[in-house]
């Protein structure tokens, strides 16, 4: 059993997901492990951002809608589960999406910037850092635009584990 599978088994028990029964018997939640992914695009970002999640400072994230489209990836839905890993691929948190909305980059508000938990948690910081991120790490060829659609996601931690010693 790999680290992510073992984490998933522990997280189901801790978050009481495995006991949810479906009409047909065992819960689909227990049968299907959610995807594992890291925040950011670099190992340093992955570690910094998962640290903010574990502290409870980061409760939101944002992505370029154009990246979802370029990768033919579905947008998250409320209730989507995910396993957040650090730069070493070690699972650290099970999160559930609680809200999803798409807005133009220049309409992201102060509340969302604060919920992302980065830097001084200001909208000015969020815009500066995310303009750089969306410019440098785009999966699409449209470049950066102030009116580009951004997917804003809020999440809640269902289970977290400290870094292994």
């Amino acid at each position: 059993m790999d680290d992510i599978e073992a984490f998933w088994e522990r997280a189901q028990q801790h978050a009481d997901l495995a006991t949810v029964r479906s009409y047909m018997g065992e819960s689909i939640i227990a049968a299907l492990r959610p995807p594992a992914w890291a925040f950011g695009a670099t190992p340093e970002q992955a570690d910094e951002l998962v640290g903010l999640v574990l502290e409870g400072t980061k409760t939101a994230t944002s992505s370029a809608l154009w990246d979802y489209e370029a990768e033919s990836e579905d947008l998250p839905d409320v209730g989507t589960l995910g396993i957040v890993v650090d730069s070493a691929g070690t699972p650290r948190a099970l999160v559930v999406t609680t809200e999803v909305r798409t807005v133009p980059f220049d309409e992201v508000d102060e509340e969302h910037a604060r919920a992302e938990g980065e830097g001084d948690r200001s909208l000015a910081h969020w815009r500066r850092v995310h303009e750089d991120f969306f410019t440098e790490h785009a999966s699409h060829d449209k470049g950066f635009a102030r009116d580009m659609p951004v997917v804003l996601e809020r999440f809640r931690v269902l289970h977290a584990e400290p870094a292994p010693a």
Side-chain angles (χ1 to χ4, degrees), residues 149-161:
V150 179
V151 179
L152 305 181
E153 184 177 354
R154 302 284 302 239
F155 58 84
R156 181 170 50 90
V157 175
L158 297 176
H159 175 70
E161 294 183 358

Side-chain angles (χ1 to χ4, degrees), residues 57-61 110-118 121 154-155:
T57 305
K58 182 173 184 62
T59 59
T61 192
E110 189 83 37
E111 179 184 350
H112 184 83
R114 194 172 22 264
E116 287 220 22
E118 300 170 41
R121 300 178 72 182
R154 302 284 302 239
F155 58 84

Side-chain angles (χ1 to χ4, degrees), residues 10-162:
R10 290 188 304 274
Q12 286 181 75
Q13 296 303 316
H14 180 269
D16 205 25
L17 297 177
T19 61
V20 177
R21 305 279 300 166
S22 75
Y23 180 74
M24 300 301 289
E26 181 182 14
S27 168
I28 191 73
I29 292 171
L32 298 175
R33 184 184 83 195
W37 44 269
F39 285 108
T42 66
E44 296 78 20
Q45 289 172 347
D47 289 341
E48 175 189 352
L49 298 176
V50 76
L52 293 173
V53 169
L54 297 174
E55 291 171 5
T57 305
K58 182 173 184 62
T59 59
T61 192
S62 52
S63 308
L65 176 64
W66 295 338
D67 286 342
Y68 281 99
E69 294 170 347
E71 296 171 10
S72 298
E73 188 176 330
D74 292 333
L75 293 179
D77 290 315
V78 170
T80 298
L81 296 174
I83 297 172
V84 183
V85 300
D86 62 19
S87 63
T90 303
R92 304 291 302 284
L94 174 66
V95 298
V96 61
T97 300
T98 59
E99 179 185 339
V100 180
R101 60 189 172 112
T102 303
V103 301
F105 179 88
D106 58 2
E107 291 182 24
V108 172
D109 57 27
E110 189 83 37
E111 179 184 350
H112 184 83
R114 194 172 22 264
E116 287 220 22
E118 300 170 41
D120 65 6
R121 300 178 72 182
S122 70
L123 183 57
H125 176 84
W126 184 92
R127 286 189 173 151
R128 184 175 57 258
V129 168
H130 284 80
E131 180 175 345
D132 291 347
F133 182 87
F134 293 147
T135 299
E136 294 174 26
H137 302 288
S139 300
H140 58 83
D141 59 2
K142 297 180 182 183
F144 172 80
R146 293 233 169 256
D147 63 348
M148 67 185 280
V150 179
V151 179
L152 305 181
E153 184 177 354
R154 302 284 302 239
F155 58 84
R156 181 170 50 90
V157 175
L158 297 176
H159 175 70
E161 294 183 358

